[in-house]
PDB file of all heavy atoms in Angstrom:
ATOM      1  N   ARG A   1      95.915  41.209  65.724  1.00  0.00           N
ATOM      2  CA  ARG A   1      95.262  39.893  66.312  1.00  0.00           C
ATOM      3  C   ARG A   1      93.763  39.940  65.869  1.00  0.00           C
ATOM      4  O   ARG A   1      93.290  38.909  65.375  1.00  0.00           O
ATOM      5  CB  ARG A   1      95.434  39.853  67.849  1.00  0.00           C
ATOM      6  CG  ARG A   1      94.932  38.567  68.358  1.00  0.00           C
ATOM      7  CD  ARG A   1      95.153  38.408  69.844  1.00  0.00           C
ATOM      8  NE  ARG A   1      94.728  39.447  70.620  1.00  0.00           N
ATOM      9  CZ  ARG A   1      93.449  39.539  71.021  1.00  0.00           C
ATOM     10  NH1 ARG A   1      92.497  38.719  70.553  1.00  0.00           N
ATOM     11  NH2 ARG A   1      93.057  40.500  71.808  1.00  0.00           N
ATOM     12  N   LEU A   2      93.065  41.044  66.070  1.00  0.00           N
ATOM     13  CA  LEU A   2      91.700  41.097  65.624  1.00  0.00           C
ATOM     14  C   LEU A   2      91.431  40.844  64.212  1.00  0.00           C
ATOM     15  O   LEU A   2      90.522  40.109  63.767  1.00  0.00           O
ATOM     16  CB  LEU A   2      90.887  42.406  65.984  1.00  0.00           C
ATOM     17  CG  LEU A   2      90.884  42.639  67.599  1.00  0.00           C
ATOM     18  CD1 LEU A   2      90.470  44.062  67.818  1.00  0.00           C
ATOM     19  CD2 LEU A   2      90.054  41.552  68.206  1.00  0.00           C
ATOM     20  N   LYS A   3      92.455  41.359  63.328  1.00  0.00           N
ATOM     21  CA  LYS A   3      92.326  41.110  61.906  1.00  0.00           C
ATOM     22  C   LYS A   3      92.641  39.553  61.599  1.00  0.00           C
ATOM     23  O   LYS A   3      91.994  39.129  60.856  1.00  0.00           O
ATOM     24  CB  LYS A   3      93.397  41.960  61.146  1.00  0.00           C
ATOM     25  CG  LYS A   3      93.313  41.796  59.648  1.00  0.00           C
ATOM     26  CD  LYS A   3      94.506  42.442  58.939  1.00  0.00           C
ATOM     27  CE  LYS A   3      95.765  41.816  59.185  1.00  0.00           C
ATOM     28  NZ  LYS A   3      95.843  40.460  58.525  1.00  0.00           N
ATOM     29  N   ASN A   4      93.687  39.048  62.247  1.00  0.00           N
ATOM     30  CA  ASN A   4      94.035  37.663  62.051  1.00  0.00           C
ATOM     31  C   ASN A   4      92.900  36.767  62.528  1.00  0.00           C
ATOM     32  O   ASN A   4      92.712  35.661  61.984  1.00  0.00           O
ATOM     33  CB  ASN A   4      95.317  37.390  62.699  1.00  0.00           C
ATOM     34  CG  ASN A   4      96.524  38.077  62.100  1.00  0.00           C
ATOM     35  OD1 ASN A   4      96.505  38.475  61.034  1.00  0.00           O
ATOM     36  ND2 ASN A   4      97.547  38.119  62.763  1.00  0.00           N
ATOM     37  N   ASP A   5      92.096  37.263  63.367  1.00  0.00           N
ATOM     38  CA  ASP A   5      90.926  36.340  63.899  1.00  0.00           C
ATOM     39  C   ASP A   5      89.783  36.542  62.982  1.00  0.00           C
ATOM     40  O   ASP A   5      88.756  35.916  63.368  1.00  0.00           O
ATOM     41  CB  ASP A   5      90.632  36.750  65.382  1.00  0.00           C
ATOM     42  CG  ASP A   5      91.739  36.221  66.335  1.00  0.00           C
ATOM     43  OD1 ASP A   5      92.606  35.479  65.958  1.00  0.00           O
ATOM     44  OD2 ASP A   5      91.707  36.673  67.546  1.00  0.00           O
ATOM     45  N   GLY A   6      89.840  37.388  62.132  1.00  0.00           N
ATOM     46  CA  GLY A   6      88.734  37.612  61.175  1.00  0.00           C
ATOM     47  C   GLY A   6      87.625  38.527  61.671  1.00  0.00           C
ATOM     48  O   GLY A   6      86.560  38.793  61.094  1.00  0.00           O
ATOM     49  N   LEU A   7      87.967  39.264  62.846  1.00  0.00           N
ATOM     50  CA  LEU A   7      87.068  40.161  63.377  1.00  0.00           C
ATOM     51  C   LEU A   7      87.071  41.566  62.779  1.00  0.00           C
ATOM     52  O   LEU A   7      86.179  42.368  62.914  1.00  0.00           O
ATOM     53  CB  LEU A   7      87.267  40.307  64.868  1.00  0.00           C
ATOM     54  CG  LEU A   7      87.233  38.893  65.652  1.00  0.00           C
ATOM     55  CD1 LEU A   7      87.604  39.144  67.071  1.00  0.00           C
ATOM     56  CD2 LEU A   7      85.950  38.250  65.561  1.00  0.00           C
ATOM     57  N   LEU A   8      88.168  41.846  62.134  1.00  0.00           N
ATOM     58  CA  LEU A   8      88.399  43.139  61.401  1.00  0.00           C
ATOM     59  C   LEU A   8      89.039  42.933  60.107  1.00  0.00           C
ATOM     60  O   LEU A   8      89.638  41.853  59.821  1.00  0.00           O
ATOM     61  CB  LEU A   8      89.446  44.128  62.112  1.00  0.00           C
ATOM     62  CG  LEU A   8      89.145  44.555  63.615  1.00  0.00           C
ATOM     63  CD1 LEU A   8      90.219  45.323  64.144  1.00  0.00           C
ATOM     64  CD2 LEU A   8      87.767  45.278  63.739  1.00  0.00           C
ATOM     65  N   THR A   9      88.832  43.849  59.258  1.00  0.00           N
ATOM     66  CA  THR A   9      89.551  43.977  57.899  1.00  0.00           C
ATOM     67  C   THR A   9      89.960  45.403  57.870  1.00  0.00           C
ATOM     68  O   THR A   9      89.734  46.218  58.658  1.00  0.00           O
ATOM     69  CB  THR A   9      88.549  43.530  56.871  1.00  0.00           C
ATOM     70  OG1 THR A   9      89.227  43.417  55.501  1.00  0.00           O
ATOM     71  CG2 THR A   9      87.417  44.501  56.702  1.00  0.00           C
ATOM     72  N   TYR A  10      90.794  45.629  56.858  1.00  0.00           N
ATOM     73  CA  TYR A  10      91.253  46.997  56.608  1.00  0.00           C
ATOM     74  C   TYR A  10      91.521  47.326  55.111  1.00  0.00           C
ATOM     75  O   TYR A  10      91.509  46.400  54.362  1.00  0.00           O
ATOM     76  CB  TYR A  10      92.650  47.194  57.402  1.00  0.00           C
ATOM     77  CG  TYR A  10      93.813  46.478  56.852  1.00  0.00           C
ATOM     78  CD1 TYR A  10      94.519  46.848  55.826  1.00  0.00           C
ATOM     79  CD2 TYR A  10      94.150  45.237  57.504  1.00  0.00           C
ATOM     80  CE1 TYR A  10      95.683  46.215  55.303  1.00  0.00           C
ATOM     81  CE2 TYR A  10      95.203  44.553  56.972  1.00  0.00           C
ATOM     82  CZ  TYR A  10      95.982  45.045  55.862  1.00  0.00           C
ATOM     83  OH  TYR A  10      97.008  44.266  55.383  1.00  0.00           O
ATOM     84  N   ARG A  11      91.600  48.567  54.829  1.00  0.00           N
ATOM     85  CA  ARG A  11      91.866  49.103  53.621  1.00  0.00           C
ATOM     86  C   ARG A  11      92.794  50.317  53.756  1.00  0.00           C
ATOM     87  O   ARG A  11      92.824  50.909  54.761  1.00  0.00           O
ATOM     88  CB  ARG A  11      90.591  49.374  52.762  1.00  0.00           C
ATOM     89  CG  ARG A  11      89.994  50.662  53.401  1.00  0.00           C
ATOM     90  CD  ARG A  11      88.643  51.092  52.673  1.00  0.00           C
ATOM     91  NE  ARG A  11      88.124  52.272  53.140  1.00  0.00           N
ATOM     92  CZ  ARG A  11      87.561  52.464  54.310  1.00  0.00           C
ATOM     93  NH1 ARG A  11      87.353  51.464  55.067  1.00  0.00           N
ATOM     94  NH2 ARG A  11      87.108  53.696  54.663  1.00  0.00           N
ATOM     95  N   TRP A  12      93.595  50.499  52.669  1.00  0.00           N
ATOM     96  CA  TRP A  12      94.559  51.650  52.629  1.00  0.00           C
ATOM     97  C   TRP A  12      93.806  52.824  51.896  1.00  0.00           C
ATOM     98  O   TRP A  12      93.132  52.592  50.896  1.00  0.00           O
ATOM     99  CB  TRP A  12      95.714  51.363  51.943  1.00  0.00           C
ATOM    100  CG  TRP A  12      96.687  50.409  52.648  1.00  0.00           C
ATOM    101  CD1 TRP A  12      96.779  49.101  52.608  1.00  0.00           C
ATOM    102  CD2 TRP A  12      97.510  50.787  53.687  1.00  0.00           C
ATOM    103  NE1 TRP A  12      97.714  48.632  53.413  1.00  0.00           N
ATOM    104  CE2 TRP A  12      98.308  49.568  54.113  1.00  0.00           C
ATOM    105  CE3 TRP A  12      97.899  51.924  54.367  1.00  0.00           C
ATOM    106  CZ2 TRP A  12      99.135  49.561  55.098  1.00  0.00           C
ATOM    107  CZ3 TRP A  12      98.777  51.967  55.358  1.00  0.00           C
ATOM    108  CH2 TRP A  12      99.455  50.790  55.784  1.00  0.00           C
ATOM    109  N   GLU A  13      93.908  54.034  52.413  1.00  0.00           N
ATOM    110  CA  GLU A  13      93.414  55.221  51.762  1.00  0.00           C
ATOM    111  C   GLU A  13      94.443  56.306  51.851  1.00  0.00           C
ATOM    112  O   GLU A  13      95.235  56.378  52.751  1.00  0.00           O
ATOM    113  CB  GLU A  13      92.173  55.813  52.556  1.00  0.00           C
ATOM    114  CG  GLU A  13      90.872  54.980  52.151  1.00  0.00           C
ATOM    115  CD  GLU A  13      89.647  55.696  52.720  1.00  0.00           C
ATOM    116  OE1 GLU A  13      89.704  56.889  53.026  1.00  0.00           O
ATOM    117  OE2 GLU A  13      88.569  55.096  52.820  1.00  0.00           O
ATOM    118  N   GLU A  14      94.576  56.965  50.750  1.00  0.00           N
ATOM    119  CA  GLU A  14      95.546  58.102  50.719  1.00  0.00           C
ATOM    120  C   GLU A  14      95.014  59.183  51.648  1.00  0.00           C
ATOM    121  O   GLU A  14      93.848  59.339  52.070  1.00  0.00           O
ATOM    122  CB  GLU A  14      95.441  58.839  49.295  1.00  0.00           C
ATOM    123  CG  GLU A  14      96.022  57.932  48.213  1.00  0.00           C
ATOM    124  CD  GLU A  14      97.508  57.588  48.427  1.00  0.00           C
ATOM    125  OE1 GLU A  14      98.156  58.526  48.884  1.00  0.00           O
ATOM    126  OE2 GLU A  14      97.894  56.505  48.131  1.00  0.00           O
ATOM    127  N   SER A  15      96.053  59.763  52.211  1.00  0.00           N
ATOM    128  CA  SER A  15      95.834  60.808  53.307  1.00  0.00           C
ATOM    129  C   SER A  15      96.148  62.204  52.764  1.00  0.00           C
ATOM    130  O   SER A  15      97.087  62.374  51.952  1.00  0.00           O
ATOM    131  CB  SER A  15      96.709  60.649  54.517  1.00  0.00           C
ATOM    132  OG  SER A  15      96.744  61.727  55.294  1.00  0.00           O
ATOM    133  N   PRO A  16      95.293  63.209  53.077  1.00  0.00           N
ATOM    134  CA  PRO A  16      95.433  64.557  52.543  1.00  0.00           C
ATOM    135  C   PRO A  16      96.814  65.131  53.194  1.00  0.00           C
ATOM    136  O   PRO A  16      97.474  65.995  52.532  1.00  0.00           O
ATOM    137  CB  PRO A  16      94.366  65.406  53.008  1.00  0.00           C
ATOM    138  CG  PRO A  16      93.799  64.500  54.086  1.00  0.00           C
ATOM    139  CD  PRO A  16      94.155  63.208  53.935  1.00  0.00           C
ATOM    140  N   SER A  17      97.343  64.644  54.131  1.00  0.00           N
ATOM    141  CA  SER A  17      98.527  65.087  54.820  1.00  0.00           C
ATOM    142  C   SER A  17      99.375  63.917  55.364  1.00  0.00           C
ATOM    143  O   SER A  17      99.212  63.307  56.457  1.00  0.00           O
ATOM    144  CB  SER A  17      98.209  65.940  56.022  1.00  0.00           C
ATOM    145  OG  SER A  17      97.387  65.228  56.880  1.00  0.00           O
ATOM    146  N   GLY A  18     100.283  63.515  54.441  1.00  0.00           N
ATOM    147  CA  GLY A  18     101.200  62.520  54.755  1.00  0.00           C
ATOM    148  C   GLY A  18     101.022  61.102  54.044  1.00  0.00           C
ATOM    149  O   GLY A  18     100.190  61.136  53.080  1.00  0.00           O
ATOM    150  N   PRO A  19     101.445  60.064  54.648  1.00  0.00           N
ATOM    151  CA  PRO A  19     101.438  58.699  54.024  1.00  0.00           C
ATOM    152  C   PRO A  19      99.950  58.135  54.105  1.00  0.00           C
ATOM    153  O   PRO A  19      99.094  58.669  54.827  1.00  0.00           O
ATOM    154  CB  PRO A  19     102.202  57.770  54.817  1.00  0.00           C
ATOM    155  CG  PRO A  19     102.350  58.492  56.229  1.00  0.00           C
ATOM    156  CD  PRO A  19     102.186  60.067  55.989  1.00  0.00           C
ATOM    157  N   PRO A  20      99.694  57.216  53.193  1.00  0.00           N
ATOM    158  CA  PRO A  20      98.272  56.549  53.226  1.00  0.00           C
ATOM    159  C   PRO A  20      97.983  56.005  54.663  1.00  0.00           C
ATOM    160  O   PRO A  20      98.886  55.611  55.424  1.00  0.00           O
ATOM    161  CB  PRO A  20      98.434  55.368  52.327  1.00  0.00           C
ATOM    162  CG  PRO A  20      99.711  55.730  51.432  1.00  0.00           C
ATOM    163  CD  PRO A  20     100.634  56.521  52.337  1.00  0.00           C
ATOM    164  N   ARG A  21      96.765  55.983  54.971  1.00  0.00           N
ATOM    165  CA  ARG A  21      96.234  55.454  56.220  1.00  0.00           C
ATOM    166  C   ARG A  21      95.533  54.119  56.100  1.00  0.00           C
ATOM    167  O   ARG A  21      94.910  53.799  55.113  1.00  0.00           O
ATOM    168  CB  ARG A  21      95.260  56.493  56.848  1.00  0.00           C
ATOM    169  CG  ARG A  21      95.945  57.757  57.212  1.00  0.00           C
ATOM    170  CD  ARG A  21      94.908  58.768  57.729  1.00  0.00           C
ATOM    171  NE  ARG A  21      95.612  59.902  58.071  1.00  0.00           N
ATOM    172  CZ  ARG A  21      94.986  61.172  58.290  1.00  0.00           C
ATOM    173  NH1 ARG A  21      93.646  61.227  58.083  1.00  0.00           N
ATOM    174  NH2 ARG A  21      95.730  62.162  58.636  1.00  0.00           N
ATOM    175  N   LYS A  22      95.809  53.210  57.109  1.00  0.00           N
ATOM    176  CA  LYS A  22      95.089  51.932  57.139  1.00  0.00           C
ATOM    177  C   LYS A  22      93.837  52.094  57.897  1.00  0.00           C
ATOM    178  O   LYS A  22      93.811  52.431  59.194  1.00  0.00           O
ATOM    179  CB  LYS A  22      96.023  50.950  57.715  1.00  0.00           C
ATOM    180  CG  LYS A  22      95.470  49.546  57.714  1.00  0.00           C
ATOM    181  CD  LYS A  22      96.287  48.497  58.578  1.00  0.00           C
ATOM    182  CE  LYS A  22      97.626  48.158  57.845  1.00  0.00           C
ATOM    183  NZ  LYS A  22      98.309  47.141  58.504  1.00  0.00           N
ATOM    184  N   TYR A  23      92.681  52.004  57.283  1.00  0.00           N
ATOM    185  CA  TYR A  23      91.274  52.058  57.884  1.00  0.00           C
ATOM    186  C   TYR A  23      90.850  50.773  58.245  1.00  0.00           C
ATOM    187  O   TYR A  23      90.717  49.869  57.379  1.00  0.00           O
ATOM    188  CB  TYR A  23      90.398  52.833  57.011  1.00  0.00           C
ATOM    189  CG  TYR A  23      90.484  54.304  56.996  1.00  0.00           C
ATOM    190  CD1 TYR A  23      91.484  54.878  56.178  1.00  0.00           C
ATOM    191  CD2 TYR A  23      89.566  55.108  57.711  1.00  0.00           C
ATOM    192  CE1 TYR A  23      91.644  56.343  56.171  1.00  0.00           C
ATOM    193  CE2 TYR A  23      89.803  56.472  57.806  1.00  0.00           C
ATOM    194  CZ  TYR A  23      90.743  57.101  57.009  1.00  0.00           C
ATOM    195  OH  TYR A  23      90.804  58.499  56.943  1.00  0.00           O
ATOM    196  N   TYR A  24      90.522  50.531  59.493  1.00  0.00           N
ATOM    197  CA  TYR A  24      89.954  49.265  60.032  1.00  0.00           C
ATOM    198  C   TYR A  24      88.404  49.320  59.961  1.00  0.00           C
ATOM    199  O   TYR A  24      87.776  50.338  60.169  1.00  0.00           O
ATOM    200  CB  TYR A  24      90.491  49.054  61.434  1.00  0.00           C
ATOM    201  CG  TYR A  24      91.943  48.809  61.464  1.00  0.00           C
ATOM    202  CD1 TYR A  24      92.811  49.825  61.741  1.00  0.00           C
ATOM    203  CD2 TYR A  24      92.417  47.478  61.280  1.00  0.00           C
ATOM    204  CE1 TYR A  24      94.192  49.605  61.730  1.00  0.00           C
ATOM    205  CE2 TYR A  24      93.785  47.233  61.429  1.00  0.00           C
ATOM    206  CZ  TYR A  24      94.701  48.380  61.583  1.00  0.00           C
ATOM    207  OH  TYR A  24      96.027  48.178  61.553  1.00  0.00           O
ATOM    208  N   GLN A  25      87.888  48.091  59.688  1.00  0.00           N
ATOM    209  CA  GLN A  25      86.433  47.963  59.518  1.00  0.00           C
ATOM    210  C   GLN A  25      86.146  46.642  60.195  1.00  0.00           C
ATOM    211  O   GLN A  25      86.748  45.699  60.136  1.00  0.00           O
ATOM    212  CB  GLN A  25      86.109  47.956  58.205  1.00  0.00           C
ATOM    213  CG  GLN A  25      84.669  47.759  57.959  1.00  0.00           C
ATOM    214  CD  GLN A  25      84.318  47.565  56.357  1.00  0.00           C
ATOM    215  OE1 GLN A  25      85.137  47.358  55.598  1.00  0.00           O
ATOM    216  NE2 GLN A  25      83.018  47.803  56.078  1.00  0.00           N
ATOM    217  N   ILE A  26      84.998  46.748  61.109  1.00  0.00           N
ATOM    218  CA  ILE A  26      84.510  45.532  61.718  1.00  0.00           C
ATOM    219  C   ILE A  26      83.857  44.658  60.736  1.00  0.00           C
ATOM    220  O   ILE A  26      83.143  45.032  59.798  1.00  0.00           O
ATOM    221  CB  ILE A  26      83.597  45.888  62.841  1.00  0.00           C
ATOM    222  CG1 ILE A  26      83.436  44.625  63.792  1.00  0.00           C
ATOM    223  CG2 ILE A  26      82.287  46.401  62.443  1.00  0.00           C
ATOM    224  CD1 ILE A  26      82.747  44.959  65.066  1.00  0.00           C
ATOM    225  N   THR A  27      84.040  43.317  60.750  1.00  0.00           N
ATOM    226  CA  THR A  27      83.454  42.380  59.917  1.00  0.00           C
ATOM    227  C   THR A  27      82.150  41.734  60.572  1.00  0.00           C
ATOM    228  O   THR A  27      81.940  42.154  61.712  1.00  0.00           O
ATOM    229  CB  THR A  27      84.428  41.079  59.703  1.00  0.00           C
ATOM    230  OG1 THR A  27      84.603  40.454  60.853  1.00  0.00           O
ATOM    231  CG2 THR A  27      85.809  41.635  59.036  1.00  0.00           C
ATOM    232  N   GLU A  28      81.527  41.002  59.746  1.00  0.00           N
ATOM    233  CA  GLU A  28      80.217  40.302  60.232  1.00  0.00           C
ATOM    234  C   GLU A  28      80.607  39.452  61.464  1.00  0.00           C
ATOM    235  O   GLU A  28      79.916  39.376  62.533  1.00  0.00           O
ATOM    236  CB  GLU A  28      79.537  39.405  59.119  1.00  0.00           C
ATOM    237  CG  GLU A  28      78.210  39.030  59.538  1.00  0.00           C
ATOM    238  CD  GLU A  28      77.158  40.174  59.628  1.00  0.00           C
ATOM    239  OE1 GLU A  28      77.224  41.102  58.849  1.00  0.00           O
ATOM    240  OE2 GLU A  28      76.391  39.957  60.610  1.00  0.00           O
ATOM    241  N   LEU A  29      81.721  38.705  61.453  1.00  0.00           N
ATOM    242  CA  LEU A  29      82.240  37.975  62.347  1.00  0.00           C
ATOM    243  C   LEU A  29      82.510  38.795  63.652  1.00  0.00           C
ATOM    244  O   LEU A  29      82.176  38.444  64.856  1.00  0.00           O
ATOM    245  CB  LEU A  29      83.326  37.083  62.023  1.00  0.00           C
ATOM    246  CG  LEU A  29      83.937  36.102  63.020  1.00  0.00           C
ATOM    247  CD1 LEU A  29      82.963  34.968  63.398  1.00  0.00           C
ATOM    248  CD2 LEU A  29      85.228  35.382  62.484  1.00  0.00           C
ATOM    249  N   GLY A  30      83.114  39.949  63.387  1.00  0.00           N
ATOM    250  CA  GLY A  30      83.414  40.894  64.505  1.00  0.00           C
ATOM    251  C   GLY A  30      82.133  41.407  65.184  1.00  0.00           C
ATOM    252  O   GLY A  30      82.081  41.584  66.450  1.00  0.00           O
ATOM    253  N   LEU A  31      81.074  41.655  64.381  1.00  0.00           N
ATOM    254  CA  LEU A  31      79.707  42.049  64.977  1.00  0.00           C
ATOM    255  C   LEU A  31      79.230  41.036  65.802  1.00  0.00           C
ATOM    256  O   LEU A  31      78.682  41.245  66.913  1.00  0.00           O
ATOM    257  CB  LEU A  31      78.843  42.591  63.834  1.00  0.00           C
ATOM    258  CG  LEU A  31      79.167  43.849  63.120  1.00  0.00           C
ATOM    259  CD1 LEU A  31      78.306  43.931  61.866  1.00  0.00           C
ATOM    260  CD2 LEU A  31      79.055  45.045  63.989  1.00  0.00           C
ATOM    261  N   ASN A  32      79.304  39.773  65.415  1.00  0.00           N
ATOM    262  CA  ASN A  32      78.842  38.611  66.180  1.00  0.00           C
ATOM    263  C   ASN A  32      79.562  38.475  67.468  1.00  0.00           C
ATOM    264  O   ASN A  32      78.924  38.350  68.634  1.00  0.00           O
ATOM    265  CB  ASN A  32      78.818  37.372  65.416  1.00  0.00           C
ATOM    266  CG  ASN A  32      77.862  37.260  64.256  1.00  0.00           C
ATOM    267  OD1 ASN A  32      76.858  38.079  64.251  1.00  0.00           O
ATOM    268  ND2 ASN A  32      78.160  36.535  63.300  1.00  0.00           N
ATOM    269  N   PHE A  33      80.916  38.648  67.431  1.00  0.00           N
ATOM    270  CA  PHE A  33      81.667  38.628  68.553  1.00  0.00           C
ATOM    271  C   PHE A  33      81.469  39.772  69.455  1.00  0.00           C
ATOM    272  O   PHE A  33      81.324  39.626  70.793  1.00  0.00           O
ATOM    273  CB  PHE A  33      83.166  38.537  68.211  1.00  0.00           C
ATOM    274  CG  PHE A  33      84.187  38.270  69.431  1.00  0.00           C
ATOM    275  CD1 PHE A  33      84.077  37.067  70.198  1.00  0.00           C
ATOM    276  CD2 PHE A  33      85.053  39.300  69.696  1.00  0.00           C
ATOM    277  CE1 PHE A  33      84.951  36.987  71.210  1.00  0.00           C
ATOM    278  CE2 PHE A  33      85.958  39.168  70.761  1.00  0.00           C
ATOM    279  CZ  PHE A  33      85.917  37.961  71.523  1.00  0.00           C
ATOM    280  N   LEU A  34      81.170  40.913  68.966  1.00  0.00           N
ATOM    281  CA  LEU A  34      80.885  42.127  69.747  1.00  0.00           C
ATOM    282  C   LEU A  34      79.602  41.918  70.549  1.00  0.00           C
ATOM    283  O   LEU A  34      79.529  42.261  71.694  1.00  0.00           O
ATOM    284  CB  LEU A  34      80.798  43.378  68.870  1.00  0.00           C
ATOM    285  CG  LEU A  34      80.429  44.612  69.499  1.00  0.00           C
ATOM    286  CD1 LEU A  34      81.346  45.064  70.600  1.00  0.00           C
ATOM    287  CD2 LEU A  34      80.336  45.768  68.530  1.00  0.00           C
ATOM    288  N   ALA A  35      78.576  41.304  69.939  1.00  0.00           N
ATOM    289  CA  ALA A  35      77.404  40.922  70.648  1.00  0.00           C
ATOM    290  C   ALA A  35      77.539  40.035  71.756  1.00  0.00           C
ATOM    291  O   ALA A  35      76.962  40.226  72.824  1.00  0.00           O
ATOM    292  CB  ALA A  35      76.299  40.317  69.640  1.00  0.00           C
ATOM    293  N   GLN A  36      78.543  39.098  71.603  1.00  0.00           N
ATOM    294  CA  GLN A  36      78.882  38.150  72.715  1.00  0.00           C
ATOM    295  C   GLN A  36      79.515  38.992  73.823  1.00  0.00           C
ATOM    296  O   GLN A  36      79.221  38.691  75.048  1.00  0.00           O
ATOM    297  CB  GLN A  36      79.621  37.116  72.271  1.00  0.00           C
ATOM    298  CG  GLN A  36      78.947  36.067  71.357  1.00  0.00           C
ATOM    299  CD  GLN A  36      80.006  35.101  70.690  1.00  0.00           C
ATOM    300  OE1 GLN A  36      81.094  34.907  71.131  1.00  0.00           O
ATOM    301  NE2 GLN A  36      79.434  34.309  69.713  1.00  0.00           N
TER     302      GLN A  36
END
């Protein structure tokens, strides 16, 4: 939901143990919402 609202984005990274991992990152919009 946070991603769909534009507050987060994500990227896939290979994992040293197992399948790739989805790393979440806060967006500029997310930072503004966090301040509120």
Side-chain angles (χ1 to χ4, degrees):
R1 185 173 56 77
L2 293 173
K3 182 192 75 65
N4 290 343
D5 291 346
L7 304 176
L8 299 180
T9 188
Y10 67 84
R11 71 181 184 285
W12 289 97
E13 281 192 19
E14 291 298 321
S15 168
S17 59
R21 294 178 176 158
K22 187 187 285 189
Y23 280 81
Y24 292 89
Q25 177 182 20
I26 192 167
T27 64
E28 191 66 35
L29 185 62
L31 289 170
N32 292 334
F33 185 63
L34 177 58
Q36 292 173 11

